[in-house]
């Protein structure tokens, strides 16, 4: 009991920040979920829907390398408050356009791009804030707790959003988002004290020189750089998957909005179980081995079941197998980075990491949308009903996305096996 009291005392500010930010993230995720459904119903195109994510990620990636330098210079609380407020303003504009019947898909592209730009500045500030608020001995527990909240968000997002959409309209989802933002804003403003990260004089370093410092650090630490590039390759495959996933489930004969919500909830349950495991498991002998093996298992299970399955239960099993290990991987990756990168450097290095690790995501979304709409769906539509592809992946709309999932499984497995042989990654264990 005494240890529990000490734990809560040491993590008091982090716990407030964690809970309220998770609540705000739930609201934002529900809005994104509802707008994806709205977009697909309006356009019927995987590419147009995927472009919502592309517009969010492109400014995030292009500006991340400079945002980290600014984050190291600026006050962390003020940065997070300003960024979140701007994102909330974009949400208010979306609500206004909906209410007046003027909302179009290009409006969402522009608003997502602006929100992504603000997230560019907010993310490195939030990452460094976590390091400032918790002792090093609690890094893995904190990472597991953050994965736990993300898992709950994945479970609750489709459930609550679907309930509000069926009982009311999309406007109710957006209002819920704004209420949760208000709670998080007030909590951060009045109840969370964030200590200074670095001395004042170091904050005067020019932005471009600070950005170069992050790049130079990664160049001199090849193990961390290669691990980031490994995740970049995995992110490409995962974002192609994310572009094809709603298109397949909303189009398949046994799919629809309900099926999409159920499988998303199964994903959330899997992430929840993995987060609990990440929080309670002891430190492994080899964090690099855990990262490589968990990703290999995820890539070699879910995509195949999505490709060959044709029912909600099979898709749910795939989601559980594919996502249970991801929080464990994230926790070990998080501990490796926080343990190797000096605290005064983390804003610059983490933002450089964001650019290198996530630049493949918009490419993957765009590629996935094109492959579904222009390649695999037309290919499957041209197949005779008794052909081998039709037998394996089904017929009708959504079968092309299923074919794509099969290829993604192969690409993911090959990627994992190639990076397992990288000697620089294994040197991190030393």
């Amino acid at each position: 009991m005494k240890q529990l009291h000490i734990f809560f005392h040491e993590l008091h500010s982090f716990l407030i920040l964690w809970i309220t930010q998770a609540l705000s993230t739930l609201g934002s995720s529900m809005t994104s979920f509802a707008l994806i459904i709205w977009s697909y119903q309006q356009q019927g195109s995987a590419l147009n829907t995927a472009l919502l994510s592309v517009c969010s990620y492109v400014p995030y990636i292009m500006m991340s390398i400079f945002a980290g330098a600014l984050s190291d210079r600026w006050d962390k609380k003020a940065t997070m408050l300003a960024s979140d407020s701007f994102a909330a303003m974009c949400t208010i504009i979306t609500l206004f356009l909906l209410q007046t019947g003027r909302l179009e898909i290009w409006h969402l592209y522009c608003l997502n791009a602006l929100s992504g730009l603000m997230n560019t500045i907010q993310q490195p500030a939030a990452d460094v804030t976590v390091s400032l608020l918790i002792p090093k001995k609690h890094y893995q527990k904190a990472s597991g707790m953050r994965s736990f909240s993300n898992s709950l968000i994945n479970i609750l997002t489709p459930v609550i959003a679907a309930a509000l959409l069926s009982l009311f309209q999309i406007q109710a989802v957006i209002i819920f988002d704004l209420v949760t933002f208000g709670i998080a804003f007030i909590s951060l403003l009045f109840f969370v004290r964030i200590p200074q990260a670095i001395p004042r004089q170091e904050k005067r370093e020019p932005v471009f020189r600070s950005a170069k410092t992050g790049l130079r650090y990664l160049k001199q630490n090849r193990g961390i750089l290669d691990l980031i590039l490994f995740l970049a390759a995995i992110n490409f495959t995962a974002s192609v998957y994310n572009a094809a996933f709603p298109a397949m489930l909303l189009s398949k004969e046994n799919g629809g909005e309900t099926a999409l919500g159920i499988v998303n909830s199964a994903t959330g349950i899997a992430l929840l179980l993995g987060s609990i495991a990440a929080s309670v498991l002891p430190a492994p002998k080899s964090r690099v081995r855990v990262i490589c093996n968990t990703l290999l298992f995820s890539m070699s299970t879910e995509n195949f079941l999505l490709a060959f399955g044709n029912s909600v239960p099979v898709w749910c099993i795939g989601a559980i197998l594919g996502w249970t290990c991801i929080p464990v991987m994230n926790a070990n990756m998080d501990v490796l980075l926080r343990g190797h990168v000096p605290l005064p450097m983390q804003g610059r290095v983490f933002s450089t990491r964001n650019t290198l690790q996530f630049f493949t995501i918009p490419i993957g979304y765009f590629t996935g949308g094109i492959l579904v709409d222009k390649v695999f769906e037309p290919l499957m539509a041209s197949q005779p009903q008794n052909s081998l592809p039709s037998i394996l992946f089904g017929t009708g709309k959504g079968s092309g996305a299923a074919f794509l999932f099969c290829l993604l499984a192969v690409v993911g497995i090959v990627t994992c096996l190639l990076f397992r042989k990288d000697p620089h990654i294994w040197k991190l264990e030393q």
Side-chain angles (χ1 to χ4, degrees):
M1 194 70 179
K2 183 179 179 181
Q3 289 182 339
L4 187 63
H5 176 74
I6 295 173
F7 176 79
F8 280 107
H9 176 73
E10 292 177 337
L11 299 183
H12 176 261
S13 292
F14 167 75
L15 291 173
I16 295 174
L17 182 68
W18 169 57
I19 292 171
T20 55
Q21 289 293 316
L23 184 62
S24 179
T25 303
L26 172 63
S28 300
S29 298
M30 287 170 53
T31 297
S32 297
F33 179 84
L35 289 175
I36 285 173
I37 293 176
W38 179 88
S39 171
Y40 195 78
Q41 289 174 340
Q42 296 290 316
Q43 305 289 325
S45 168
L47 177 59
N48 287 342
T49 303
L51 284 176
L52 291 172
S53 297
V54 172
C55 290
S56 295
Y57 273 106
V58 167
Y60 178 80
I61 291 163
M62 291 178 63
M63 298 303 297
S64 274
I65 194 168
F66 304 111
L70 294 172
S71 173
D72 282 338
R73 295 158 62 95
W74 292 344
D75 179 85
K76 303 296 180 291
K77 179 184 285 190
T79 301
M80 294 171 66
L81 289 171
S83 300
D84 288 345
S85 298
F86 190 90
M89 185 61 62
C90 291
T91 304
I92 291 172
I93 293 173
T94 303
L95 179 61
F96 172 77
L97 291 172
L98 270 171
Q99 284 293 97
T100 57
R102 299 175 182 175
L103 184 64
E104 297 182 22
I105 190 69
W106 70 267
H107 292 140
L108 295 180
Y109 293 157
C110 295
L111 292 170
N112 278 15
L114 292 173
S115 296
L117 185 61
M118 287 299 101
N119 192 38
T120 305
I121 300 172
Q122 193 262 4
Q123 188 63 51
D127 285 337
V128 177
T129 296
V130 171
S131 296
L132 292 171
L133 291 178
I134 59 177
K136 191 173 182 178
K137 63 182 178 180
H138 293 311
Y139 277 178
Q140 182 164 333
K141 283 187 174 62
S143 180
M145 291 164 66
R146 295 173 77 191
S147 294
F148 178 84
S149 61
N150 289 335
S151 306
L152 277 178
I153 290 168
N154 278 307
I155 295 171
L156 297 175
T157 291
V159 174
I160 302 177
L164 290 177
L165 286 171
S166 61
L167 293 175
F168 305 101
Q169 291 179 323
I170 191 173
Q171 288 88 338
V173 177
I174 296 176
I175 291 172
F176 181 89
D177 183 7
L178 293 173
V179 171
T180 58
F181 155 76
I183 294 172
F185 184 92
I186 293 171
S187 299
L188 176 58
L189 181 62
F190 293 109
F191 302 108
V192 177
R193 179 183 173 276
I194 303 175
Q196 290 291 332
I198 54 178
R200 283 285 173 191
Q201 58 269 26
E202 191 170 340
K203 292 186 178 182
R204 299 192 185 102
E205 185 180 25
V207 172
F208 281 94
R209 187 181 302 170
S210 296
K212 287 176 64 177
T213 302
L215 285 170
R216 185 165 56 248
Y217 179 88
L218 290 178
K219 185 177 179 181
Q220 294 169 351
N221 292 268
R222 277 294 305 277
I224 296 177
L225 176 60
D226 287 4
L227 194 60
I228 289 170
L229 295 178
F230 175 31
L231 270 292
I234 293 296
N235 282 338
F236 173 79
T237 305
S239 54
V240 174
Y241 158 94
N242 286 333
F245 180 73
M248 188 188 84
L249 262 67
L250 290 172
S251 303
K252 278 268 190 175
E253 184 179 349
N254 297 327
E257 293 179 24
T258 302
L260 180 62
I262 292 173
V263 179
N264 276 338
S265 294
T267 299
I269 292 171
L271 290 170
L272 183 64
L273 295 174
S275 301
I276 295 172
S279 300
V280 301
L281 285 174
K285 293 182 179 179
S286 172
R287 294 192 186 277
V288 171
R289 183 172 286 108
V290 170
I291 292 170
C292 292
N293 289 344
T294 51
L295 286 173
L296 178 61
F297 180 80
S298 296
M299 289 290 164
S300 60
T301 53
E302 181 182 15
N303 286 322
F304 280 128
L305 287 171
L306 286 175
F308 300 119
N310 197 33
S311 66
V312 172
V314 175
W315 296 330
C316 287
I317 293 172
I320 291 171
L321 291 176
W323 290 95
T324 300
C325 294
I326 296 302
V328 179
M329 182 279 295
N330 284 332
N332 283 275
M333 179 75 174
D334 190 62
V335 173
L336 270 180
L337 289 178
R338 293 186 192 278
H340 280 78
V341 181
L343 184 58
M345 288 281 298
Q346 285 187 7
R348 283 161 284 184
V349 174
F350 286 176
S351 61
T352 305
R353 181 272 311 267
N354 290 344
T355 296
L356 296 176
Q357 184 174 321
F358 301 139
F359 85 95
T360 55
I361 292 179
I363 298 174
Y365 269 104
F366 188 74
T367 303
I370 290 179
L371 288 175
V372 171
D373 286 351
K374 307 298 183 182
V375 180
F376 287 94
E377 289 295 341
L379 176 64
M380 291 301 297
S382 66
Q383 298 296 312
Q385 193 156 5
N386 58 351
S387 65
L388 181 61
S390 297
I391 294 172
L392 292 175
F393 307 115
T395 58
K397 198 169 183 181
S399 58
F403 191 176
L404 178 58
F405 283 130
C406 182
L407 295 182
L408 290 179
V410 175
V411 172
I413 291 170
V414 171
T415 302
C416 292
L417 293 178
L418 288 176
F419 275 92
R420 277 174 64 95
K421 299 179 180 180
D422 188 328
H424 298 292
I425 293 177
W426 293 99
K427 287 182 180 178
L428 289 174
E429 301 292 359
Q430 302 172 6

